Amino acid sequence: MAYVVAERPPAIVIGSGFGGLAAAIRLGARGYRVTLLEKLDKPGGRAYVYAQDGFTFDAGPTIVTAPFLLEELWSLCERRMADDIDLRAITPYYRIRFDDGSHFDYSGDHAAMKAEIARFDARDIAGYERYLEASATLYDIGFDKLLTVSFDSFGKMLRTVPDLFRGQFFRSVHGLVARHFRHPKLRMVFSFHPLLIGGNPFTATAVYALIAQLERRHGIHFAMGGTGSLVKGLVSLIEGQGGELRLNTPVSRICVEDRRAVGVELSTGERLMANVVVSNADAAATYRWLLPDAVRDRWTDSKLDRARYSMSLFVWYFGTGRRYPDVPHHMILLGPRYRSLLADIFDHKVLADDFSLYLHRPTATDSSLAPAGCDAFYVLSPVPHLDSGVDWTEAAEGYRARIARYLAATVLPGLEQQVVSSRLLTPMDFRERLFSVKGAAFSLEPVLTQTAWFRPHNRSEDVEGLYLVGAGTHPGAGMPGVISSAKVLDEIVPDP
């Protein structure tokens, strides 16, 4: 006897960043027939991979802090992540170098951390213990009651307020850290984490201090082959579910009928219809550029203009003709200023003469990412978004040269004579290539008034059948955040 299998209802996901990839997997696991649309020639979004001159450069995220969130996606497909992905624990997590040449090795080893703290001020060891308790409280609140829960009703937000007060959410991350540490350098060490998700430590709500606890509990990892190996693995899961990835396929608009998303129109004019539309494009760009004005009651142009956007990034990817074995996998080089530099970036929108940097040397862990005897690097400098008025077509090379001279004078001697491969990413690339409003690298800034219910909701407030994932929606930027935004869909997208 023959059985007729009902056609799976169609779902469209716009954008193949980590949020879009995770959303496609979750929708596919629930019975949707998923089409994933990507404007670029490769998947990954900010996790794009550049291959040139024998080097492999991960364009964006390099740190895996919550491997269990990825493992869950493999489990949904009845597969083991360990069969596809080789994750390696990194220690120390980061080496933080101060402008005077001193450094702090930040790790998950409790005894080693206390010893590092004692080198600066032994009195702060007790403060460190108290800070860990505060961070643990925020982690328990954040992961259980914030990260994977939809905040599309204000009542749900209100129910979390007692817990948030217990976690001192009304303070900034730096404000919370300053309550526990005396030494100014230790205050920098323990407050920089919001920069990893586009936030200013002096204005980001203290909820984001949970990142320290996330690292402590689950470690810092690197995927062998680079972050691109994770993207490749996630794409294989989608294809194994029968989903389709279409590259070089820009979406020009989301089709709306009677205030309901019914599909998308591509730049070619082709229309694809769907029961569910998920946008992994920048949240502000989704509302401003993909939806008609007539259906936008909440996220209007005026509201988007008033919103606060994260800083942008200047990134130099480079390969060297020699190795630098004394440079660890992750290094943060703090400049002569901290608070005032961040004010220049976030508040004044000024490209300062000084900078702080994140230096990534993946070949410290995986030598396959560079030719034999060579190293692959990228160096990242937080810079103001495009409201600064900086013309990066003119400024980029000079800024790169300043960074190169600084690195040569500090941790990479002889660098300028050793560079054999080079490319740049500027705030203009975030706007033009990655479709980000103002060229902001992390979409909306993670301040209290743009957190949880106050961010663009995962279920669109304006258009039925439209859902948002990624950095600009709840819970926010960073790999754990964008992957968790897809998990929220399980709560709010109806069963097929």
Side-chain angles (χ1 to χ4, degrees):
M1 181 176 177
Y3 293 90
V4 177
V5 179
E7 178 73 14
R8 293 183 297 160
I12 288 173
V13 178
I14 305 168
S16 66
F18 275 108
L21 293 167
I25 291 166
R26 289 189 172 276
L27 292 172
R30 292 178 59 195
Y32 284 94
R33 174 170 51 86
V34 180
T35 301
L36 182 59
L37 306 173
E38 172 55 55
K39 66 174 289 196
L40 301 178
D41 62 339
K42 295 178 186 177
R46 284 166 172 74
Y48 191 90
V49 176
Y50 298 110
Q52 64 179 47
D53 305 322
F55 294 88
T56 299
F57 300 113
D58 283 321
T62 60
I63 298 169
V64 179
T65 53
F68 59 93
L69 292 174
L70 290 163
E71 289 167 353
E72 188 173 314
L73 297 174
W74 261 262
S75 296
L76 287 172
C77 300
E78 299 182 345
R79 287 168 59 177
R80 294 175 66 249
M81 186 173 77
D83 292 336
D84 299 325
I85 305 296
D86 181 3
L87 276 186
R88 302 285 179 91
I90 304 297
T91 191
Y93 296 165
Y94 321 95
R95 173 165 294 166
I96 301 165
R97 183 189 186 278
F98 301 98
D99 195 54
D100 63 4
S102 62
H103 73 269
F104 185 106
D105 280 348
Y106 192 114
S107 72
D109 184 316
H110 192 62
M113 286 289 281
K114 290 194 293 184
E116 287 291 281
I117 290 167
R119 291 197 299 111
F120 292 86
D121 191 336
R123 295 174 299 175
D124 275 336
I125 292 175
Y128 171 62
E129 301 284 7
R130 293 193 300 271
Y131 178 68
L132 287 180
E133 293 176 7
S135 179
T137 297
L138 287 163
Y139 177 91
D140 293 338
I141 294 168
F143 259 90
D144 294 340
K145 300 180 180 180
L146 289 178
L147 254 70
T148 58
V149 177
S150 168
F151 276 90
D152 55 1
S153 77
F154 193 66
K156 188 175 291 185
M157 177 73 178
L158 286 176
R159 288 194 291 274
T160 68
V161 168
D163 286 321
L164 290 171
F165 266 101
R166 181 164 55 90
Q168 302 181 61
F169 78 106
F170 47 87
R171 301 187 191 281
S172 69
V173 170
H174 188 273
L176 181 66
V177 167
R179 287 176 59 83
H180 300 292
F181 294 93
R182 302 166 181 258
H183 199 286
K185 288 183 178 178
L186 295 177
R187 289 180 174 182
M188 288 188 261
V189 164
F190 289 95
S191 69
F192 79 88
H193 284 98
L195 289 164
L196 301 177
I197 57 169
N200 182 344
F202 292 91
T203 57
T205 170
V207 168
Y208 294 104
L210 68 82
I211 298 172
Q213 193 66 211
L214 176 68
E215 293 175 341
R216 178 177 170 79
R217 295 190 187 189
H218 302 287
I220 293 288
H221 298 81
F222 180 73
M224 299 297 283
T227 309
S229 67
L230 289 173
V231 173
K232 182 179 179 180
L234 293 170
V235 169
S236 75
L237 296 182
I238 294 166
E239 293 175 341
Q241 293 174 320
E244 179 187 10
L245 169 63
R246 293 180 58 174
L247 301 173
N248 301 301
T249 309
V251 172
S252 60
R253 69 184 181 98
I254 296 168
C255 301
V256 180
E257 296 178 3
D258 297 325
R259 302 188 72 88
R260 179 177 181 84
V262 295
V264 300
E265 183 175 306
L266 307 181
S267 60
T268 59
E270 179 185 359
R271 290 183 58 151
L272 303 176
M273 310 311 289
N275 293 29
V276 169
V277 176
V278 177
S279 180
N280 183 214
D282 176 58
T286 297
Y287 281 107
R288 187 185 291 274
W289 296 326
L290 295 183
L291 287 171
D293 292 345
V295 301
R296 294 193 287 139
D297 296 330
R298 179 172 173 83
W299 293 102
T300 61
D301 283 353
S302 61
K303 182 173 178 63
L304 292 170
D305 287 341
R306 294 193 304 271
R308 292 174 56 169
Y309 292 83
S310 82
M311 83 287 201
S312 193
L313 301 173
F314 178 92
V315 191
W316 177 31
Y317 310 91
F318 61 95
T320 58
R322 56 157 286 193
R323 289 180 63 82
Y324 288 88
D326 295 334
V327 176
H329 192 122
H330 301 293
M331 193 170 193
I332 295 167
L333 297 96
L334 295 171
R337 297 185 300 147
Y338 188 52
R339 185 170 196 152
S340 59
L341 175 62
L342 293 171
D344 280 346
I345 294 169
F346 285 90
D347 302 329
H348 307 143
K349 309 293 188 295
V350 170
L351 184 63
D353 292 332
D354 58 323
F355 38 67
S356 289
L357 305 171
Y358 161 59
L359 181 64
H360 179 228
R361 179 179 169 245
T363 39
T365 302
D366 186 352
S367 62
S368 73
L369 301 175
C374 300
D375 263 335
F377 291 91
Y378 89 38
V379 61
L380 174 158
S381 174
V383 295
H385 61 58
L386 290 172
D387 277 1
S388 66
V390 173
D391 181 353
W392 284 101
T393 61
E394 296 290 333
E397 176 53 27
Y399 198 69
R400 183 210 65 79
R402 284 163 50 197
I403 290 173
R405 288 193 295 269
Y406 176 82
L407 291 175
T410 53
V411 296
L412 299 177
L415 172 62
E416 292 159 290
Q417 291 74 46
Q418 292 295 327
V419 173
V420 295
S421 186
S422 177
R423 73 179 305 133
L424 299 177
L425 184 74
T426 77
M428 292 179 66
D429 293 299
F430 280 96
R431 182 183 67 188
E432 304 302 327
R433 182 177 172 84
L434 295 170
F435 202 55
S436 178
V437 171
K438 299 181 186 290
F442 302 89
S443 194
L444 299 183
E445 186 181 348
V447 293
L448 181 59
T449 54
Q450 294 183 165
T451 297
W453 183 84
F454 300 105
R455 290 182 86 73
H457 295 176
N458 303 97
R459 172 164 41 199
S460 171
E461 302 100 305
D462 288 329
V463 177
E464 189 178 352
L466 173 64
Y467 304 87
L468 280 72
V469 296
T473 186
H474 172 71
M479 198 183 300
V482 299
I483 294 174
S484 294
S485 72
K487 190 170 183 176
V488 174
L489 299 185
D490 288 350
E491 177 189 338
I492 58 178
V493 174
D495 289 331

